[in-house]
Amino acid sequence: MFRNHIKIAYRNLLKNKSFSILNITGLSVGLCVTTLIALWINFELGFDGFHENEKNLYQVNNQYEVEGEIDTWNSTPKVMATVLKADYPEISRVSRYFFETPFLFTKNEKRIKATGTAVDADFLSMFRFPLIEGNVKTALSEVNTVVLTEKLAKTLFEEKDAIGQTLTIDNSELLTVSGVLKNLPDNTMFNFEYLLPWSYLEQKGWNDDNWSNNSIVTYVQLKDGTNFGAFSEKLASLRERYDRSSPDIHTFLYPFGRIHLHGKFENGREAGGRIDTIRLFGIIAGILLLIACINFMNLSTAQSEKRAREVGVRKVVGAKKGTLIAQFMGESIFIAIISAVIASGLVWAGLPYFNELVGRPLSLLTLPPAFWWGAAGTVVLTGILAGSYPAMYLSAFRPSAVLKGHFKKKSKNDVSPRSVLVIFQFGMAIILITATVIVQQQIKKAQTRNSGYSKNNLLYTHMEGDMEQHYTLIKDELLRSGAAISVTKTNAPIIESQSNTWGMLWDGKAQDDHTIVHRMMADEAIIRTMGLELMEGRDFDLREYPSDSSAAIINQSAARLMGFEDPIGKTINDRNRDWHVIGLVKDFVLDSPYQKIEPLVIQGADGWFDVINMKLNTDRSTRENLTMIEAILKKYNPEYPFQYQFVDRAYAQKFEDQQRIGKIASAFTLLTVLISCLGLFGLASYMAENRTKEIGIRKVLGATVGNITTLLTTQFMKLVAISFVIGAPISWYFMSNWLEGFAYRVTIAWWVFPLSGILAMGIAMVTISFQAIKAAVADPTNSLKTE
């Protein structure tokens, strides 16, 4: 029986080649997209899921209420780890995680710039990053030691055994390699090539007991069987016990396994995160596959008249309804299997492009067996879903009516299931078209937002090695050479905020005002170098005004917060010293171009610095300028490679995530429209074929090509119009919610919805018109000569 079903399915595929191609193409594309998205979802859901202690691992977070809103952040004081381990017996292990830092590693003639961090000795016992060489418990116990990843170890020592070898870090201290880690997997939020013991930072003087300095991340591992609720209540009062400067901060533990997907907080509550994007594209993948199945249903039921007599004869000779259902289901599953084979080839060919689109290194070779079992189940389920309605529909024909040629009766007011399915397909297409337009508008709005500074010909390089001690000489030579027209040093690039506080004081500040104020440091000429717009006062100028080392320049948002109508001469206290305001600049984008601009105080030269910023001379080519800058830096800092970043390119990277969402949405929209059009093309083809004689008679009676084309397209245009009426409000609702996540956002324009409707109708019209015109221009004598 099974072989018989396969033979019948094969013969039907060959007999109806055009419909078979449309069916298989639609299902193949749907299965391909579903597989690719399932690969990505599997990768994202597996982030840091390989740690054996994951269920007991937590990140220490903080919350504080400011003006009725609860702010949540994950940075902590360095001293907190010591307190947690000493005073909370429920905690078995603690590790601090310093911000990831690039250091120069030197071994003989090799100089490698690598990014890593400093952690406590418990880190490798808490997190499962296997050591190829060395001991997990002792690898980070000595001061002047380092643990390298396998890749970095091979780069530095080639094929030699790295354990016990020495190397130089930052051209100063000698370190001994105490361990070699396996290279980090791609699906981890950690990003380091080396690990230093925390004692190394203490030796460098980078550790402190300041509870106000929230500058590192702290992880803890609870003991098995710990009552989490009771421990959370106990931990909540930690700041009250130890931090008198800000006792109202609430400390809590956040499960490590939820950070990647759910780590977004709004007003003190977990508010999704990356999981929202995963859910969204998972739903879209399911809808794409469903649309492909709908095509199958539509095309299969559209061919019902051709299969009706076959069903009637089978029933007359004794075939049961269950047997017929099994046959049609078998045909559907057979087509799904063929589609799956084709989809596999499409996935293999398209995976590199998909990886570039989503920004992940996905691979079919690393998938667990469960994924392939799930894929096989999806193929069978797709076949059953696609074939369920046609099987039930065809097997329900009454043999007496079928053999008389009266197998189908339908009143004018009946709603065809095929019509409902077409409405669903194009409703989804309209939703996705609208979403794509709005996403692109939002990206464009942020990209065209005035950043408030001049990004062109502005570059920065991090201060390393001897650059800080030779900064004045470097600056003077850069200006004398003509490579740069202005130079300033800052604590961070202008594209990001790396320091903020609620502890600044000014006249009139309320005691309960804990508004976050961002801080930046600069020595001289920051306004000129960055191209900031000066509203009042002047720029830093240490040669003319030596006291500018304790001066400050504030932005408009800071002036409004502090109530400074005339800010020049006002005093702000921060870090236990007074800063006198000498300038007011127009607000500029310091961090995200999608968010509101925060209060900012730019403090003078008496601060810490990490970056040299240069405004290049446009009278020379960029290549000439870079060559001169490299020569000057090599002169004063010969051991370090010249690495730089143009501000305009770094600023453009802020849009990558949203641009990626826009590209994926565009791709999904295109595929949805493509699959929907395949089905519509098939239905239009079938309709034209079924009405051949009617068209012939109408032409004989004087109907024009336009009359007949309009007759054949009107029915489908009505369905697309209904799709628009349903899809437009749904798309408005979801896109309005999406835009709520941006403080600086576009307003949804009314014309977006008519545009999506016109596009959908235009695409549908082009799809249908091909078959309609073909039928309308056919010679009527060919269709009527058999009568």
Side-chain angles (χ1 to χ4, degrees), residues 435-456:
T436 301
V437 173
I438 293 172
V439 168
Q440 296 300 336
Q441 283 184 317
Q442 174 64 9
I443 294 170
K444 185 177 180 180
K445 182 177 177 67
Q447 285 178 325
T448 56
R449 182 183 189 180
N450 184 4
S451 64
Y453 56 89
S454 176
K455 300 185 290 291
N456 295 333

Side-chain angles (χ1 to χ4, degrees), residues 677 681 713 717 760-773:
C677 287
F681 184 86
T713 57
M717 289 300 99
M761 294 192 79
I763 292 166
M765 177 65 79
V766 170
T767 304
I768 299 162
S769 295
F770 178 82
Q771 289 294 344
I773 295 171

Side-chain angles (χ1 to χ4, degrees), residues 663-675:
K663 288 178 182 178
I664 295 173
S666 300
F668 285 163
T669 301
L670 182 63
L671 290 171
T672 300
V673 171
L674 172 65
I675 296 172

Side-chain angles (χ1 to χ4, degrees), residues 26-27 29-31 33-34 282-298 378 381-382 384-388 421-422 424-425 428 672 675-676:
L27 277 177
V29 173
L31 286 168
V33 174
T34 303
I283 290 169
I284 292 176
I287 289 171
L288 270 172
L289 186 58
L290 182 59
I291 288 173
C293 293
I294 286 171
N295 273 355
F296 186 94
M297 295 178 191
N298 273 344
T378 301
L381 183 62
T382 300
I384 293 171
L385 177 63
S388 57
L421 296 177
V422 169
F424 176 81
Q425 284 182 311
M428 289 308 307
T672 300
I675 296 172
S676 298

Side-chain angles (χ1 to χ4, degrees), residues 348-591:
W348 193 268
L351 191 57
Y353 305 100
F354 186 74
N355 284 349
E356 186 176 342
L357 188 64
V358 299
R360 297 295 191 191
L362 308 178
S363 172
L364 292 169
L365 302 176
T366 58
L367 292 171
F371 183 91
W372 296 111
W373 283 110
T378 301
V379 171
V380 174
L381 183 62
T382 300
I384 293 171
L385 177 63
S388 57
Y389 177 67
M392 301 301 292
Y393 180 78
L394 292 170
S395 64
F397 289 158
R398 290 186 296 113
S400 58
V402 166
L403 296 177
K404 288 178 183 179
H406 304 294
F407 70 97
K408 182 180 177 186
K409 289 184 180 179
K410 179 186 170 199
S411 79
K412 279 187 175 181
N413 296 324
D414 286 343
V415 177
S416 165
R418 288 202 299 275
S419 300
V420 174
L421 296 177
V422 169
I423 290 170
F424 176 81
Q425 284 182 311
F426 275 87
M428 289 308 307
I430 286 166
I431 291 171
L432 287 174
I433 290 171
T434 306
T436 301
V437 173
I438 293 172
V439 168
Q440 296 300 336
Q441 283 184 317
Q442 174 64 9
I443 294 170
K444 185 177 180 180
K445 182 177 177 67
Q447 285 178 325
T448 56
R449 182 183 189 180
N450 184 4
S451 64
Y453 56 89
S454 176
K455 300 185 290 291
N456 295 333
N457 299 301
L458 179 63
L459 68 78
Y460 66 88
T461 183
H462 288 278
M463 298 177 73
E464 305 170 300
D466 298 331
M467 288 171 68
E468 188 166 7
Q469 69 183 81
H470 296 311
Y471 170 72
T472 303
L473 295 173
I474 291 172
K475 178 180 176 178
D476 290 343
E477 198 156 334
L478 286 170
L479 294 172
R480 279 200 308 272
S481 71
I485 59 173
S486 183
V487 178
T488 188
K489 63 179 178 180
T490 54
N491 65 308
I494 195 170
I495 57 169
E496 59 189 75
S497 172
Q498 290 188 359
S499 181
N500 59 58
T501 180
W502 58 59
M504 285 190 191
L505 302 174
W506 56 87
D507 287 343
K509 181 181 180 180
Q511 284 189 340
D512 58 349
D513 184 352
H514 291 284
T515 305
I516 297 282
V517 178
H518 293 258
R519 62 160 79 94
M520 191 175 181
M521 286 83 185
D523 66 332
E524 284 187 298
I526 185 171
I527 294 176
R528 184 184 179 203
T529 306
M530 304 299 186
L532 303 178
E533 186 174 338
L534 184 66
M535 309 294 290
E536 294 181 43
R538 59 178 177 80
D539 202 346
F540 293 126
D541 186 348
L542 290 171
R543 298 182 185 185
E544 183 84 16
Y545 305 98
S547 63
D548 276 3
S549 60
S550 61
I553 297 171
I554 64 174
N555 69 352
Q556 291 170 299
S557 293
R560 283 193 296 270
L561 171 69
M562 298 171 183
F564 293 166
E565 292 184 10
D566 182 14
I568 307 303
K570 294 290 194 296
T571 300
I572 299 169
N573 185 275
D574 183 39
R575 296 186 287 131
N576 296 319
R577 66 171 302 166
D578 289 336
W579 303 86
H580 58 283
V581 179
I582 64 167
L584 172 70
V585 294
K586 189 173 182 179
D587 282 343
F588 62 92
V589 177
L590 183 64
D591 208 344

